[in-house]
C-alpha cells in the first residue's frame, strides 16, 4: 500500500485559467475527501465521496468548483476561472467504512495552488 | 454548531520532556471519533492517534497518549520524551458522526534541544 497520492504537487496558474487536480486513494478505501487549507489555518472540508457517489458538498464549494469520482477509484477536483482567493493547499484523504480502522482518514501530500 | 478550540497557538518543550496540547469541542452528538494529526513544515498531514467516544479507556500510541474527558468535551494530547522530530503543527480533528473532520486552528510545537 503506497498511501494516498496527489498530482500535481504544485500548480501555478494565472487568474481566470482552469485547473484540475487528481487524487488516488488507498486502494481498499471507499470514502474520499477533499479539504482546503490556507496558510496558518486548519483544513476545511470541501466535499466527500462514498464510492462514486458525491454525498456532501460544503458551502465553501462555489459553482466554479466541481469534483468527480467516476469509477469509485481516483477523484478529480476542477476549479474553473481561478481567482487569487483560490490559492491554497488542496488536500485529499481516504478512509474505510468498515474494520478496525474505520472512519480514520489518511491524507495525501496535497496540491499547492498559487493563482497569480 | 460543532466547534473545535485549540487554545494554545504555540508551545515549546525541552527535548526529552513531556508536553500536553489541549483541545476542547462542542457537539450534541454522543457517538463520534476524535483524532490528533501532525503536520511538519511543508510536509503532509500524519495521523498521530485516534479515540472512539464510546470507549472510556484513553488511547495510547508509543510516546503519545490522550486524556479524553467526554463530559467536559476535552481531548488533550500528551507527548512524552519529546524528540526533535516531534516539531510540527498539531491539529485536533473530531469526526462528529457526519463523516467529515472538523479541524481546530492548530498548535505549533517547538522542541528545544
Amino acid at each position: 500500500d503506497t498511501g494516498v497520492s496527489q498530482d500535481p504537487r504544485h500548480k501555478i496558474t494565472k487568474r481566470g485559467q482552469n485547473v484540475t487536480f487528481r487524487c488516488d486513494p488507498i486502494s481498499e478505501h471507499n470514502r474520499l475527501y477533499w479539504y482546503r487549507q490556507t496558510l496558518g489555518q486548519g483544513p476545511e472540508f470541501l466535499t466527500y465521496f462514498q464510492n462514486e457517489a458525491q454525498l456532501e458538498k460544503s458551502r465553501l464549494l462555489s459553482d466554479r468548483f466541481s469534483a468527480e469520482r467516476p469509477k469509485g477509484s481516483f477523484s478529480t477536483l476542477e476549479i474553473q476561472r481561478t481567482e487569487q482567493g483560490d490559492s491554497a493547499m488542496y488536500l485529499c484523504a481516504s478512509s474505510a467504512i468498515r474494520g478496525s480502522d474505520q472512519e480514520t482518514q489518511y491524507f495525501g501530500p496535497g496540491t499547492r495552488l498559487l493563482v497569480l | 454548531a460543532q466547534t473545535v478550540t485549540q487554545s494554545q497557538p504555540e508551545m515549546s518543550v525541552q527535548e526529552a520532556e513531556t508536553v500536553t496540547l489541549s483541545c476542547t469541542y462542542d457537539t450534541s452528538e454522543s457517538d463520534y471519533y476524535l483524532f490528533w494529526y501532525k503536520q511538519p513544515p511543508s510536509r503532509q498531514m500524519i495521523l498521530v492517534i485516534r479515540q472512539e467516544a464510546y470507549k472510556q479507556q484513553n488511547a495510547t500510541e508509543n510516546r503519545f497518549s490522550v486524556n479524553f474527558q467526554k463530559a467536559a468535551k476535552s481531548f488533550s494530547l500528551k507527548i512524552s520524551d519529546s524528540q526533535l522530530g516531534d516539531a510540527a503543527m498539531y491539529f485536533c480533528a473530531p469526526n462528529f458522526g457526519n463523516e467529515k473532520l472538523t479541524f481546530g486552528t492548530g498548535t505549533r510545537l517547538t522542541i528545544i534541544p
Side-chain angles (χ1 to χ4, degrees):
Chain A
D1 187 352
T2 57
V4 179
S5 62
Q6 292 187 246
D7 184 69
R9 296 289 304 277
H10 303 274
K11 179 71 177 179
I12 300 174
T13 192
K14 293 182 179 179
R15 188 168 48 133
Q17 298 294 305
N18 299 345
V19 294
T20 301
F21 309 141
R22 175 178 170 129
C23 171
D24 287 86
I26 293 171
S27 57
E28 63 269 25
H29 283 182
N30 307 89
R31 288 198 180 129
L32 185 149
Y33 310 79
W34 286 99
Y35 292 83
R36 180 169 67 188
Q37 185 179 24
T38 53
L39 205 60
Q41 301 296 316
E44 296 175 295
F45 169 79
L46 293 178
T47 187
Y48 90 97
F49 294 82
Q50 182 161 317
N51 300 315
E52 64 275 10
Q54 187 173 19
L55 297 187
E56 186 173 347
K57 292 170 59 173
S58 163
R59 284 171 291 179
L60 291 175
L61 217 61
S62 76
D63 291 344
R64 297 183 297 105
F65 288 71
S66 63
E68 293 182 342
R69 195 183 183 197
K71 297 182 179 179
S73 56
F74 72 92
S75 175
T76 58
L77 177 68
E78 181 183 17
I79 309 174
Q80 296 182 327
R81 304 180 304 281
T82 53
E83 303 172 355
Q84 289 181 326
D86 297 332
S87 296
M89 176 77 88
Y90 290 83
L91 298 171
C92 177
S94 68
S95 71
I97 60 174
R98 293 183 185 84
S100 60
D101 211 19
Q102 66 179 30
E103 304 297 344
T104 300
Q105 295 185 26
Y106 293 91
F107 283 82
T111 295
R112 186 173 296 280
L113 173 66
L114 177 61
V115 182
L116 301 176
Chain B
Q2 296 166 327
T3 59
V4 180
T5 301
Q6 293 182 249
S7 58
Q8 307 150 314
E10 296 183 355
M11 292 280 285
S12 60
V13 63
Q14 294 277 355
E15 196 175 0
E17 296 296 308
T18 295
V19 65
T20 299
L21 309 184
S22 68
C23 173
T24 58
Y25 57 91
D26 189 23
T27 184
S28 57
E29 300 294 328
S30 59
D31 190 16
Y32 48 91
Y33 297 84
L34 303 117
F35 303 90
W36 278 97
Y37 285 89
K38 162 185 175 180
Q39 189 175 40
S42 301
R43 295 182 62 188
Q44 73 187 74
M45 196 79 71
I46 302 166
L47 175 71
V48 175
I49 200 165
R50 113 189 196 133
Q51 172 83 42
E52 291 98 328
Y54 68 87
K55 289 187 177 178
Q56 293 186 344
Q57 186 173 6
N58 289 321
T60 62
E61 284 288 340
N62 302 314
R63 298 182 294 106
F64 299 88
S65 61
V66 299
N67 183 3
F68 174 47
Q69 303 286 333
K70 190 172 185 179
K73 297 179 182 176
S74 171
F75 181 58
S76 61
L77 174 70
K78 185 171 83 170
I79 306 174
S80 303
D81 185 25
S82 297
Q83 300 176 359
L84 294 178
D86 295 334
M89 186 73 99
Y90 285 81
F91 291 100
C92 174
N95 173 344
F96 293 122
N98 54 4
E99 320 315 338
K100 57 183 177 274
L101 296 174
T102 301
F103 284 82
T105 50
T107 295
R108 183 174 304 279
L109 179 65
T110 300
I111 311 297
I112 303 167

